[in-house]
Amino acid sequence: MSDRILIVQLFAGLILIMAGKTTSCHIELSPSTVVVKYGDRVSVNCSTSLSNITGMGLESPVEGTGAENTTHLIWTVDSLTEWDIEPLCYVVAPDGNDCTKKIQVIVYSFPENISISSSSLNSVMTEGETHNFTCEIPNIAPVRKLTVRWYKDDKLVHENELNSPSKKPTNQSSFYVFFPRRQDNRATFRCEAFMDLGPDGPQLNLSSQDYSIEVLFGPDIDCSGLIVQEGETLEGKCLVAGNPMPEVEWLKNGLPTNLSIPLGRNDTGIYTVKAEGRFEVTKTIQISVFYGPEKTCQSTLTIPEHTPRISCTGGSPQPLEIWYKDDVEVKLPKNLTRRDAGQYFIRSFNNVSSINFTVNVIVLYPPTDIVELENAEVQFGDTLDLKCSSMGGPQPDYSWTYYQMANVMEKKQDGVSHLIVKNATGLNMGSYTCHAGNQEGNVSKTVRVTVKGAKQECPIQIIPDTMVLQYQSWAQQAACIPMSTESSNVKKIYWKANHRRTNGTEWTPDTEDDWDPHPVCHGVFNGIGECHKPLHYTLYNLMGENNTRCSKSEVRSPVNVSCTTNITLKRTHNDVNIRCEARLNLPPAGGHPPPSVFSDSLNISVCYKPEINTTKLADTVPLITGYDEDLVCEADGRQPLSISWSYMSASGPKNSFNKTLRVSAAGYYNCTVSNPCGSTTHMVKVIFKEDYLPLIAGFVALTVIIISIIFVFIYSIYYKNTKMRRYSLKNPKLSTHHGNVAHNGWDTQFPMTKLS
């Protein structure tokens, strides 16, 4: 029957394929899948919704049917004992569209007991060795639905799915490879058989008995994370583990150590821990006794720049330091610089304790480049302030190199050095060098100061400044001395004469040979450098009264004869005519006078610098308040003369090129007269002088007025009481007062009548 159905199905499928059509099989199974325990009853309904069928049947080795004229069949087996059964329900249609549906039947068998065992002897295992657990599961089907689960202390540690295709009962074994550790000592293992038969069947599970193990290990010495604080003991500091439990002994330098004695920081060292169990184990450890942070810095810490990062606390372990500056946490750089100077608050701590303190860090560093000092220009007579500023640790000290004068003052203010030049003159021109230095180094800067309205002066004085010597006379010395008494101004003074250098401040000429030595005094000064002044030197020879020196020859033949006279020119020689006479003195012959001839006249023009007439222009001129004064500058000298006045006014420097200068204010007025031969300057000091004449005149007038008023007042009183009038003596009445009789406190004895 099954062969016929199979043929029908194959034929129907072939027809459908050839026709290119598909059709659905209208067979319904309830349930579609049957899960049944071996030997239990099973029942499945098979029906169709088709009405035009030829028949319906069940194809099964147990309780199968042939084709019946019905649309509903029930396949029932009271005790199913077939493991590999696949019943079919089919429908035969008149049009040949037959179809079939397989009934899914799962027959299972599940054991009542499973067992667990291991490869170890008496459940004793050694740490690190491989051990196998075996789970025995008897008489189970189907195997492909079986999962074996392994539990350690009720925690799932492994899962094994068995995939045997056999549908019949078999005995199965599951294996679990285990590497025991010391933590696994006294652990309990079990295996569990789990069968999931899908949504149409039950979920079956069964556990074995518990299996407890003992793990042998050690002895092991674990001193990791060993922390010993000062005052603590070594008891319990190292964990010594083992099964069986080992015996422990501590040694230091080969001698036993009492673990109950508190340790101090000096007990730091190397210790040996010996443990005896299954075998003997020793371990050498370095023990550091920990203690809290301790301050190691002074409250003020002075260090050179670029010093490596510093630590201000000690302790064990090394404390962690947190530095704060201005309440902000900072991290010090690898090398400290000047920017890191200041006051810090330090919080230091380790796992023992913590401390807080403050430290003032002073960083030493050489002075920085000088700032605020530049080349300067100042007006003659004004004030100049040169500033020199530098930063350093500690604050640099300042010094100046310049041509020192009384009008220059040094002052330090707010870390800046000031060099103040008052009433600047030509001697203040030159270089000024500021030096800034501390114990770490030195810097300097040089600038140039120019005084407008003044010339650079050479501070040398030659005594005498003019030397006129007679030929072969006694020698005279010329001394060259500095004008300033500050010895620090002078670096060197020497003479040059006859193109040779003479060391020293004095020079003595040779009155026989030094006709034109060109003596010059040289000086080297701070701020000015090298400068020089010449000595006006003249060597002369007097030959007879005419002050002449002539070359003579005894040769009779014609010769050239020259005669020289030396004249020291003065300004009075200007425009003088000079001529020479050559006279041939021959013996008298024929009464003729000796022959003579005169040279052409030589007009001498003497160039001399002007000389101011100081009789008309005094050094000090009084100025009466409210009046102007005329300053007259006259001079004698080679024409043309140029006269100019220079002075300071409220609006600044002033110049006038008139001979007469009208002044109305006190001050210093310089008259300069120049011509092609030189110039001469004369300074006039104008001072205020009060004019007391008007004051005196006013006082006298006031006195006269007051006296006059007093005199008039006194006279008026006196006249009133003593004034005289005209009276008549006719018909006098004695002892009778009359209204016309004048009385002055007394009675007259003469009768009088008033005259009209």
Side-chain angles (χ1 to χ4, degrees):
M1 186 176 195
S2 60
D3 292 340
R4 186 180 65 83
I5 293 174
L6 181 60
I7 293 173
V8 170
Q9 291 175 345
L10 292 175
F11 181 74
L14 181 61
I15 292 174
L16 289 174
I17 292 172
M18 292 179 65
K21 297 180 180 180
T22 60
T23 183
S24 60
C25 186
H26 296 278
I27 297 176
E28 295 180 1
L29 300 176
S30 179
S32 60
T33 301
V34 179
V35 180
V36 58
K37 186 177 180 181
Y38 181 79
D40 285 356
R41 184 177 182 278
V42 62
S43 178
V44 178
N45 291 326
C46 179
S47 61
T48 183
S49 59
L50 299 176
S51 57
N52 57 342
I53 59 174
T54 303
M56 170 181 278
L58 288 169
E59 178 68 25
S60 174
V62 179
E63 300 297 335
T65 65
E68 297 181 3
N69 187 14
T70 182
T71 60
H72 180 266
L73 291 175
I74 299 176
W75 181 66
T76 303
V77 179
D78 292 333
S79 177
L80 184 59
T81 58
E82 292 288 336
W83 293 99
D84 191 9
I85 187 171
E86 295 182 349
L88 293 174
C89 180
Y90 63 89
V91 174
V92 179
D95 58 359
N97 291 329
D98 298 344
C99 66
T100 64
K101 249 185 188 180
K102 183 187 295 184
I103 300 174
Q104 299 292 331
V105 179
I106 299 175
V107 182
Y108 69 90
S109 173
F110 198 73
E112 295 182 357
N113 294 297
I114 61 176
S115 62
I116 184 173
S117 62
S118 74
S119 59
S120 61
L121 180 62
N122 299 325
S123 302
V124 177
M125 302 181 180
T126 302
E127 184 181 34
E129 296 180 356
T130 303
H131 294 269
N132 295 320
F133 285 97
T134 303
C135 186
E136 299 290 345
I137 306 170
N139 195 30
I140 189 167
V143 177
R144 60 185 178 84
K145 298 291 186 178
L146 176 63
T147 299
V148 180
R149 295 172 177 173
W150 292 89
Y151 291 89
K152 173 188 168 187
D153 296 330
D154 292 329
K155 182 180 180 181
L156 180 64
V157 294
H158 184 64
E159 210 173 56
N160 185 19
E161 293 184 0
L162 302 181
N163 294 317
S164 175
S166 175
K167 295 183 179 182
K168 296 181 179 182
T170 59
N171 296 327
Q172 297 292 323
S173 298
S174 177
F175 302 97
Y176 172 54
V177 180
F178 179 61
F179 298 92
R181 300 174 300 169
R182 62 192 63 194
Q183 296 89 340
D184 299 323
N185 190 36
R186 308 301 179 188
T188 300
F189 290 82
R190 65 183 176 88
C191 64
E192 179 184 79
F194 175 76
M195 180 176 286
D196 186 1
L197 295 175
D200 298 316
Q203 290 185 346
L204 305 173
N205 65 313
L206 179 65
S207 291
S208 68
Q209 74 278 13
D210 291 339
Y211 189 93
S212 181
I213 65 172
E214 181 181 1
V215 180
L216 302 180
F217 62 91
D220 287 338
I221 302 173
D222 183 10
C223 295
S224 60
L226 179 61
I227 297 177
V228 180
Q229 296 184 10
E230 194 172 23
E232 293 184 341
T233 66
L234 290 173
E235 292 180 339
K237 294 302 180 183
C238 279
L239 178 63
V240 180
N243 187 19
M245 179 61 67
E247 294 183 0
V248 181
E249 183 180 19
W250 287 70
L251 303 172
K252 183 180 181 183
N253 298 327
L255 299 176
T257 299
N258 189 345
L259 302 183
S260 62
I261 298 177
L263 298 180
R265 63 188 67 181
N266 295 329
D267 292 321
T268 296
I270 298 176
Y271 290 77
T272 300
V273 181
K274 183 169 66 174
E276 292 186 2
R278 291 191 303 138
F279 47 83
E280 181 178 294
V281 176
T282 60
K283 187 170 185 178
T284 301
I285 58 175
Q286 171 72 41
I287 292 182
S288 297
V289 180
F290 292 168
Y291 54 93
E294 296 178 348
K295 183 180 176 182
T296 59
C297 290
Q298 299 293 331
S299 296
T300 298
L301 187 61
T302 302
I303 58 173
E305 192 174 26
H306 306 303
T307 296
R309 185 188 298 125
I310 58 177
S311 175
C312 278
T313 53
S316 182
Q318 180 63 39
L320 175 64
E321 293 181 357
I322 301 179
W323 292 58
Y324 298 88
K325 189 175 185 182
D326 299 330
D327 298 328
V328 177
E329 181 180 345
V330 296
K331 183 177 180 181
L332 295 181
K334 184 177 180 181
N335 295 296
L336 299 182
T337 64
R338 63 198 69 181
R339 294 185 295 273
D340 301 310
Q343 189 169 29
Y344 292 85
F345 175 81
I346 300 176
R347 177 173 170 261
S348 178
F349 59 91
N350 58 15
N351 53 11
V352 179
S353 62
S354 64
I355 59 173
N356 300 325
F357 56 94
T358 58
V359 171
N360 184 28
V361 178
I362 299 175
V363 179
L364 303 179
Y365 59 94
T368 59
D369 291 340
I370 292 174
V371 296
E372 296 192 80
L373 183 61
E374 303 293 341
N375 293 333
E377 187 176 74
V378 61
Q379 192 70 32
F380 179 85
D382 284 355
T383 299
L384 173 66
D385 185 0
L386 296 177
K387 297 180 181 180
C388 179
S389 176
S390 176
M391 298 295 294
Q395 180 64 39
D397 294 324
Y398 297 98
S399 63
W400 291 82
T401 300
Y402 61 97
Y403 187 78
Q404 298 184 13
M405 293 183 61
N407 66 336
V408 182
M409 179 183 66
E410 296 182 24
K411 182 177 71 173
K412 185 177 180 181
Q413 183 179 15
D414 299 330
V416 178
S417 181
H418 297 261
L419 196 67
I420 302 174
V421 181
K422 295 184 177 180
N423 194 19
T425 67
L427 286 174
N428 296 122
M429 296 177 66
S431 62
Y432 290 73
T433 302
C434 177
H435 308 274
N438 58 18
Q439 63 196 56
E440 299 298 313
N442 299 276
V443 293
S444 62
K445 185 176 182 180
T446 301
V447 296
R448 180 78 182 174
V449 171
T450 303
V451 180
K452 295 182 66 176
K455 293 183 179 180
Q456 180 75 65
E457 299 183 37
C458 187
I460 294 175
Q461 183 178 8
I462 301 177
I463 302 175
D465 60 350
T466 301
M467 183 180 288
V468 180
L469 300 177
Q470 187 175 359
Y471 177 69
Q472 293 182 342
S473 64
W474 289 99
Q476 183 180 353
Q477 286 185 337
C480 181
I481 60 175
M483 296 176 62
S484 172
T485 59
E486 293 285 346
S487 59
S488 60
N489 284 336
V490 183
K491 291 185 176 180
K492 188 184 301 181
I493 289 182
Y494 61 93
W495 284 89
K496 272 189 178 181
N498 295 316
H499 307 290
R500 295 192 303 270
R501 175 170 170 170
T502 303
N503 293 326
T505 61
E506 296 180 347
W507 175 73
T508 303
D510 185 350
T511 58
E512 291 188 359
D513 294 329
D514 289 338
W515 292 100
D516 192 14
H518 296 288
V520 178
C521 177
H522 293 258
V524 181
F525 301 90
N526 282 333
I528 296 178
E530 184 171 358
C531 63
H532 62 273
K533 279 187 178 180
L535 169 63
H536 302 289
Y537 172 81
T538 302
L539 180 64
Y540 68 93
N541 185 18
L542 295 177
M543 298 293 291
E545 295 180 356
N546 293 329
N547 192 22
T548 60
R549 179 186 180 188
C550 297
S551 62
K552 299 181 179 180
S553 174
E554 298 297 333
V555 179
R556 292 180 177 267
S557 60
V559 294
N560 294 325
V561 177
S562 64
C563 184
T564 303
T565 183
N566 293 326
I567 301 175
T568 302
L569 295 178
K570 300 180 181 179
R571 62 183 64 195
T572 56
H573 295 149
N574 188 41
D575 291 332
V576 171
N577 291 322
I578 298 177
R579 64 177 180 169
C580 64
E581 178 186 8
R583 179 179 295 173
L584 185 60
N585 294 321
L586 298 175
H592 295 284
S596 64
V597 63
F598 285 91
S599 68
D600 294 334
S601 296
L602 176 64
N603 183 267
I604 298 177
S605 178
V606 181
C607 186
Y608 57 94
K609 66 180 183 179
E611 182 174 314
I612 297 175
N613 186 355
T614 56
T615 59
K616 290 187 177 182
L617 189 62
D619 294 337
T620 303
V621 175
L623 179 65
I624 298 175
T625 305
Y627 295 89
D628 294 339
E629 185 68 26
D630 289 336
L631 302 181
V632 180
C633 183
E634 294 181 352
D636 179 27
R638 176 76 178 272
Q639 298 297 324
L641 293 177
S642 175
I643 300 176
S644 64
W645 287 89
S646 62
Y647 58 98
M648 295 294 295
S649 68
S651 60
K654 294 290 186 179
N655 290 294
S656 175
F657 300 94
N658 296 322
K659 174 181 176 181
T660 302
L661 178 67
R662 174 158 292 183
V663 297
S664 59
Y668 291 89
Y669 297 81
N670 294 308
C671 175
T672 301
V673 182
S674 61
N675 63 9
C677 303
S679 63
T680 303
T681 300
H682 181 71
M683 185 175 69
V684 179
K685 181 179 180 182
V686 177
I687 60 175
F688 276 117
K689 183 178 180 181
E690 294 294 333
D691 186 4
Y692 296 103
L693 184 59
L695 184 62
I696 294 172
F699 180 77
V700 171
L702 180 62
T703 302
V704 171
I705 292 173
I706 293 173
I707 293 173
S708 299
I709 293 173
I710 294 172
F711 177 80
V712 171
F713 177 76
I714 295 173
Y715 177 79
S716 63
I717 295 175
Y718 177 79
Y719 180 80
K720 180 179 180 181
N721 295 326
T722 60
K723 63 182 179 178
M724 299 300 293
R725 299 181 181 178
R726 297 175 63 191
Y727 295 95
S728 175
L729 297 179
K730 294 179 180 182
N731 301 319
K733 294 180 180 181
L734 299 176
S735 301
T736 302
H737 293 287
H738 192 271
N740 295 325
V741 178
H743 301 277
N744 188 18
W746 50 272
D747 294 333
T748 180
Q749 299 299 320
F750 300 96
M752 293 177 290
T753 301
K754 183 178 179 181
L755 300 177
S756 57

